[in-house]
Amino acid sequence: MDQIASLDNVPRKEKQFRNFTANSLRLRGPSGTKIVDEIWKFLSKLREEQRAEREAAQKLQKQQEEEEKAAAAEQRKESDISQNNDSDSTQSSTTKIKTSTQLSAKEIKKVVKKVLKKTPGHQMKFKKLRKEVQSKMALVKNDAMKKDLQKLMKQEITDRKSVV
């Protein structure tokens, strides 16, 4: 076993392993065959145990990932519920919350750049650009969001002079 452990290129298949041991370790004849059989049984049992351990570790890891995903989903639901409760109290604060959470200038700028890069001449009418950005960002089409989006887009375009 010490000699096998010291070698780097020990085959994993039985037939190649038998040939390898017969040639490398000079285990030939009936007594050599018995020794090779015992070594092979020991190694195959050891490999099965290692494979079972790996599979158990992978299952455990998958379960932990699923639990983390479920916990994250619950937290999102709780935060959505708390935001909905806050939005029922005052409507003016809802537009500010939606603007800050859903419409950030940085995200709008990225989407505007992507949309304009795809158009020929990198130009587009503002209304069409706004509608494209709205569809890309999957925003709800209501008047408050439309005005906020329009205001942020105008601000970004006028601040930067050249978007693309």
Side-chain angles (χ1 to χ4, degrees):
M1 289 304 281
D2 293 333
Q3 287 178 335
I4 291 175
S6 66
L7 298 172
D8 293 333
N9 56 349
V10 179
R12 296 192 194 314
K13 295 183 180 179
E14 186 175 6
K15 184 178 178 183
Q16 288 87 358
F17 180 77
R18 289 183 183 280
N19 290 336
F20 175 78
T21 53
N23 294 330
S24 298
L25 304 176
R26 294 181 185 87
L27 295 173
R28 296 185 181 118
S31 63
T33 307
K34 290 179 184 177
I35 295 171
V36 171
D37 287 339
E38 291 175 19
I39 293 172
W40 177 254
K41 287 178 185 177
F42 176 76
L43 289 177
S44 62
K45 182 192 289 185
L46 187 65
R47 284 189 185 128
E48 286 297 321
E49 291 173 359
Q50 289 175 348
R51 185 179 298 140
E53 288 175 7
R54 271 188 263 128
E55 288 175 358
Q58 287 175 350
K59 286 181 182 178
L60 181 63
Q61 186 179 9
K62 285 182 181 179
Q63 287 176 348
Q64 289 175 348
E65 289 175 357
E66 289 175 3
E67 290 173 359
E68 290 174 0
K69 287 180 183 179
E74 288 179 27
Q75 288 178 350
R76 278 189 243 128
K77 286 180 183 178
E78 290 174 1
S79 66
D80 289 343
I81 290 171
S82 66
Q83 284 181 354
N84 287 340
N85 291 340
D86 292 342
S87 67
D88 291 340
S89 62
T90 58
Q91 286 189 348
S92 62
S93 65
T94 57
T95 56
K96 292 179 183 176
I97 291 172
K98 287 180 181 179
T99 306
S100 64
T101 57
Q102 292 181 357
L103 297 177
S104 72
K106 193 174 187 179
E107 290 175 1
I108 290 173
K109 183 179 174 183
K110 285 181 182 180
V111 174
V112 166
K113 282 185 177 184
K114 285 181 183 177
V115 169
L116 286 176
K117 283 182 180 179
K118 291 180 182 178
T119 60
H122 303 290
Q123 294 179 352
M124 184 182 279
K125 291 188 177 185
F126 187 77
K127 186 175 181 180
K128 189 174 180 181
L129 177 65
R130 181 178 39 82
K131 287 183 179 184
E132 287 289 323
V133 169
Q134 198 171 18
S135 67
K136 293 283 184 186
M137 293 181 74
L139 296 175
V140 178
K141 294 182 181 180
N142 62 15
D143 290 334
M145 292 295 278
K146 182 179 174 181
K147 288 179 182 178
D148 290 340
L149 178 65
Q150 191 171 11
K151 185 173 86 174
L152 284 171
M153 283 180 62
K154 277 186 180 179
Q155 182 182 6
E156 276 300 311
I157 290 174
T158 56
D159 287 349
R160 295 287 179 189
K161 296 292 179 191
S162 62
V163 178
V164 179

